Amino acid sequence: MTSTTTELIPAPLTAGNPAAGAGFVLDAGTVIDAGPGTERTARWLRGALGAATGFALPPGSDGGGALRLRIRPEEAARLGPEGYTLHVDGDAVTVHGGGPAGVFWGAQTLRQLLGPDAFRRAPLAPGRRWTVPGTAVEDAPRFRWRGLMLDVARHFTPKEGVLRYLDLMAAHKLNVFHFHLTDDQGWRVEIKRYPKLTETGAWRARTKFGHRASPLWEEKPHGGHYTQDDIREIVAYAAERHIAVVPEIDLPGHSQAAIAAYPELGNTDVIDTTALSVWDTWGISPNVLAPTDTTLRFYEGVFEELLELFPTGATEFPADSADPPSPAFSAFSPFSAFIHVGGDECPKDQWRRSPAAQARIKELGLADEDALQSWFIRHFDRWLTARGRRLIGWDEILEGGLAEGAAVASWRGYQGGIAAARAGHDVVMCPEQHVYLDHRQAADPDEPVPIGFVRTLEDVYRFEPVPPELDARQAGHVLGTQANLWTEVMENHARVDYQAFPRLAAFAEVAWSRLPAPAERDFAGFERRMAAHYRRLDALGVDYRPPSGPRPWQRRPGVPGRPLDGPPPKR
């Protein structure tokens, strides 16, 4: 079985069939002819298609029977570094990319054209005939930042699950993995100079089951963390797939796990921080970091180790590796320079009651507690900038004054992003009411642990990342868009799959494809293409929500959520 260009997701710029009947047959004699800078895509193709077909796909010289991979400057000038053309005829499949990433995205399109079985890990029928239909595809992304945020702090995702989601991102041409590593409920990254962050901070005694108002508890410890070598592996695995990893370390709020591990980080003149444990419920903890030099030096130490674990581009991988990366790699993956510092949902009550915090406000000549939070963010903006990095935070970092050079992830609707873009700051649009995939997918009473507003597949498909209020110059500050998966009520990877898919496929098309205005988008056509895409997701083992509603094992009867009725706010 093969797919056609009319079944591709995300939709390409153009796709035609100039050579009807002249499809390319992939067989045991097929070779991969990889030009300079395309070696990583060749290696990925050999692993992915080799596993599904059983063919070796060895290196070979240019000629008939080849998958031909090339980087061409003219494609870069015309389509950008992530753009590509794919041409299929009876002799070869040729992918020309504007850069290494463009070649890789072209290879993802090739895999779709081979049919759903190309997404399996072993051949279903050894020796079968694999045909790529004759076609010509020209493609390039609309947005540079096409992101997915995975929260591993609330419910821990083991390393293998993270690598799996990087593969799912690559299959949908998403290129930024926002790695939410710390929160009140857990600290997930090893910091060698502060071992208690994971010895103590990575584990909670029990977990709320359902929404925070639920009376249900899972009465067993929950936790886990990634070693520094795990992080290096994740970053390298992502780089092979042209995905930048942006880590998030929350401050000054959402920090109870860190305070439980190191009580001196908290407001010790207000509460007994030695009595705190890693938080076992959901919501916004009142326990926030103290605005002291001790806290600043502690987190500088955290970030010093973090910067080594998350290098700014593939050129920072070991130069003596067997396949040193092309310098062009980092040219179109600037987002690996970003460090996310949270900055959201920081209650100010402890600072209001803390003599030390009030003295700090007076010492610094600040107006109030909002300005104190801004001082926190500005400090780390300067610290990161001095080390060649860029700070990004949730839109609360606008309160009290936006740090110079900081970028904003606009989650509380569009307004934060609009304000930041108008002020000349870069923005990632991820408004809660549109692309928070933890929100429920239907009003169906069988929907598991329903949270928030109903956000259907069609709602996500009609999401528009660029607000009409922005002029062309301001819109240029919209780096792109991101879907967020908060895992309070997602206790395992099957629940994450259910909330993510199929909506992540619709989001990927919004982020990649040049779609018309939301009301003019062909959702019926997208649904027809999804019929083929569901078979790809089946082959990948994704536990998605079927169009007809949850399967029996996907339901969570009796586990209360927090559904919100009516349409979500527009802004």
Side-chain angles (χ1 to χ4, degrees), residues 39-313:
E39 296 85 1
R40 288 171 180 263
T41 295
R43 182 161 57 240
W44 178 85
L45 273 172
R46 196 167 287 119
L49 297 190
T53 64
F55 302 144
L57 304 176
S61 61
D62 194 0
L67 306 180
R68 190 181 303 134
L69 311 177
R70 295 289 187 273
I71 295 172
R72 292 177 48 167
E74 54 266 44
E75 305 300 346
R78 197 165 56 87
L79 297 172
E82 292 190 279
Y84 68 91
T85 59
L86 183 152
H87 182 85
V88 182
D89 58 28
D91 293 325
V93 174
T94 303
V95 179
H96 289 155
V103 176
F104 183 71
W105 304 132
Q108 295 295 337
T109 297
L110 168 61
R111 190 187 195 189
Q112 289 197 17
L113 290 172
L114 279 166
D117 289 346
F119 291 80
R120 296 190 180 274
R121 296 186 182 182
L124 301 186
R128 67 175 279 186
R129 181 183 178 91
W130 294 81
T131 303
V132 188
T135 192
V137 176
E138 183 170 288
D139 204 7
R142 179 186 178 192
F143 291 108
R144 292 174 290 159
W145 184 301
R146 306 180 302 280
L148 175 69
M149 190 285 301
L150 180 63
D151 166 25
V152 298
R154 275 50 176 272
H155 278 102
F156 180 63
T157 298
K159 181 191 69 177
E160 286 302 317
V162 174
L163 300 180
R164 175 176 176 266
Y165 257 80
L166 290 170
D167 280 329
L168 290 172
M169 289 178 65
H172 292 83
K173 298 184 173 75
L174 299 174
N175 70 338
V176 178
F177 179 57
H178 176 170
F179 205 4
H180 184 80
L181 288 165
T182 74
D183 217 296
D184 299 306
Q185 296 85 1
W187 184 285
R188 304 294 179 218
V189 56
E190 177 188 27
I191 303 297
K192 291 185 182 295
R193 73 187 72 183
Y194 304 129
K196 288 191 288 186
L197 284 173
T198 47
E199 291 171 1
T200 299
W203 293 92
R204 57 179 182 263
R206 62 176 187 168
T207 298
K208 177 70 72 172
F209 196 42
H211 182 253
R212 62 179 175 268
S214 167
L216 305 176
W217 295 88
E218 186 177 43
E219 296 285 353
K220 66 177 184 181
H222 176 86
H225 74 276
Y226 309 102
T227 67
Q228 294 201 350
D229 281 344
D230 289 338
I231 294 292
R232 293 185 182 97
E233 180 183 357
I234 288 166
V235 171
Y237 194 86
E240 287 276 338
R241 287 147 184 80
H242 298 272
I243 296 171
V245 183
V246 176
E248 179 176 353
I249 302 294
D250 261 307
L251 61 87
H254 287 293
S255 298
Q256 184 165 325
I259 298 169
Y262 291 92
E264 64 271 23
L265 298 175
N267 293 283
T268 57
D269 56 346
V270 174
I271 62 164
D272 178 8
T273 55
T274 64
L276 292 178
S277 60
V278 177
W279 216 25
D280 58 11
T281 190
W282 317 128
I284 304 172
S285 169
N287 298 300
V288 302
L289 297 175
T292 64
D293 289 341
T294 296
T295 300
L296 297 182
R297 300 294 88 77
F298 183 97
Y299 275 85
E300 287 171 2
V302 168
F303 285 124
E304 282 175 5
E305 293 194 24
L306 207 72
L307 298 192
E308 188 273 328
L309 297 175
F310 294 90
T312 57

Side-chain angles (χ1 to χ4, degrees), residues 21 42 51 88 91 120 153 169 195 212 234 256 346 369 373 381-382 404 435 439 480 563:
V88 182
D91 293 325
R120 296 190 180 274
M169 289 178 65
R212 62 179 175 268
I234 288 166
Q256 184 165 325
C346 178
E369 291 76 19
Q373 177 172 339
D381 179 59
R382 291 191 297 270
E404 184 177 355
V435 290
H439 282 217

Side-chain angles (χ1 to χ4, degrees), residues 424-453:
H425 292 270
D426 288 338
V427 177
V428 175
M429 285 294 186
C430 49
E432 176 184 19
Q433 63 268 45
H434 295 283
V435 290
Y436 268 39
L437 301 184
D438 46 306
H439 282 217
R440 58 190 174 136
Q441 304 188 60
D444 189 329
D446 287 330
E447 206 65 26
V449 200
I451 298 295
F453 296 104

